[in-house]
Amino acid sequence: KLNKPHQFWQTQPMPNINEMDKLKPGPIQLGVLAEVRKDPFNLIDKFEWFNVDLRNEEQAQQVYTLLKENYVEDDDNMFRFDYSIEFLRWALLPPGQYSDWLIGVRVNQKLVGFITGIPVTLHIENEQNKVKMTEINFLCVHKKIRANRLAPVLIKEITRRVHIKNMWQAVYTAGIVVPTPISQTRYYHRSLNAKKLIEVGFSSLSARQTISRQQKLYKLPEEPKTPGIRPMKKKDVAQVTKLLNEYLKNFKLYFKYTDEEVKHWFLPRKDVISTYVVEKEQGIVTDFLSFYNLPSQVIKNPKYTHLRAAYSYYNVATQTPIVQLMYDALILAKNEGYDVFNALDIMDNEKFLKELMFCPGDGQLNYYLYNWKLENDMLKPEEIGIVLV
Ligand SMILES: CN(C)Cc1n[nH]c2ccc(-c3ccc(F)cc3OCCn3ccnc3)cc12
């Protein structure tokens, strides 16, 4: 019976503490395509597998509702992520997606479980390691049917469907710690709407602080500072792709983007992704910033149902100082109606977090690599060049 802590994870190719030093960097287990199980894993009675078509309005609604009611909450269970349907279509229908990598489990036509993969090519620690793999996300089991051991079966089934495509690694993140994080990053928050953050209980006032004092402290100018800053357009794709790929080479974990992928991940989509470029004379783009929209439902509050949060995505500053570029990001996010701007301490974010008055959050986001041994087991947050939504 798999019910001792991490009993399931002990069966997975993740380096555990004592074997870390023996393994060589690279794949831990070499996959053999012929040995991959051809049929889906067995589910308990009445449960059935179901490939979700997010383009279908009804099925997208089912996924939306499952996540809205049962997905990740903060440590104090005050907020729960509320991913919109348009956001899920952005996050889960990238170029090259497979139709059987959005996996649902249903009981009597009701969706009770979900897990997703998208195909990525991850560069790991040096140019040679360009590994085609999957990025796993949105593992969710309905609150009412937890402890049925459905999560391990969802993980095994998506693993099987990835193996069948002859891919043997995965990358994912989680707020919890299971064997074995490759990096433990921290998240930070910058207040944009001090009054609301205090009223929903996101921020608290110390004895000497007042709401109006907080509002003054976090007040922002009406307009961004950087001349030539504007929303990204289709004509900017080629320049943004070059800037992004060049910048990401600084890190030990990063994706390489085609123009097609930059179109998908960065062209502005209302209430999903905002990208602004800095255009100098002759149409030269020298910098860009981007943030995505992920509201959290406020679980119990008389006045507000949601916290509008913008999350830092990828920001490349080659001419504009990074602090000024991100100050503009705060101003632009405030003008788009966000209450708070969130960022992890990955990439070069440390360079602006303190100066722009971000406060540390109360938890961490752990990065995981499945079936891959790193040279030194762990990476520092500033060596991470990937953002998972
Ligand atoms: C990444 N993706 C897999 C979703 C996910 N899962 N688990 C998580 C734990 C933390 C963060 C996170 C990432 C960046 C950030 F600035 C703030 C965050 O959480 C705030 C705390 N919180 C949790 C729910 N509502 C508010 C995301 C996630």
Side-chain angles (χ1 to χ4, degrees), residues 163-207:
H163 286 167
I164 273 184
K165 301 274 188 307
N166 203 20
M167 292 185 214
W168 307 94
Q169 276 74 35
V171 60
Y172 52 98
T173 57
I176 57 166
V177 182
V178 285
T180 309
I182 58 161
S183 193
Q184 302 194 287
T185 72
R186 308 201 62 76
Y187 42 82
Y188 292 74
H189 315 287
R190 207 287 185 180
S191 171
L192 300 177
N193 182 347
K195 185 165 179 296
K196 178 172 175 182
L197 293 187
I198 290 156
E199 289 176 337
V200 300
F202 183 88
S203 315
S204 53
L205 285 178
S206 69

Side-chain angles (χ1 to χ4, degrees), residues 72-74 81 83 137 173 175 187 296 311 342-343 365 388-389:
V72 177
E73 297 171 6
D74 66 312
F81 286 134
Y83 289 87
N137 207 339
T173 57
Y187 42 82
S296 278
Y311 286 70
N342 289 337
L365 186 67
L388 273 57
V389 298

Side-chain angles (χ1 to χ4, degrees), residues 1-11 44 146-150 152 156:
K1 190 130 169 33
L2 284 177
N3 55 15
K4 286 203 271 330
H6 300 331
Q7 197 56 47
F8 164 73
W9 285 105
Q10 250 43 24
T11 67
I44 38 184
R146 298 218 172 136
N148 273 304
R149 309 297 302 165
L150 184 57
K156 285 196 281 207

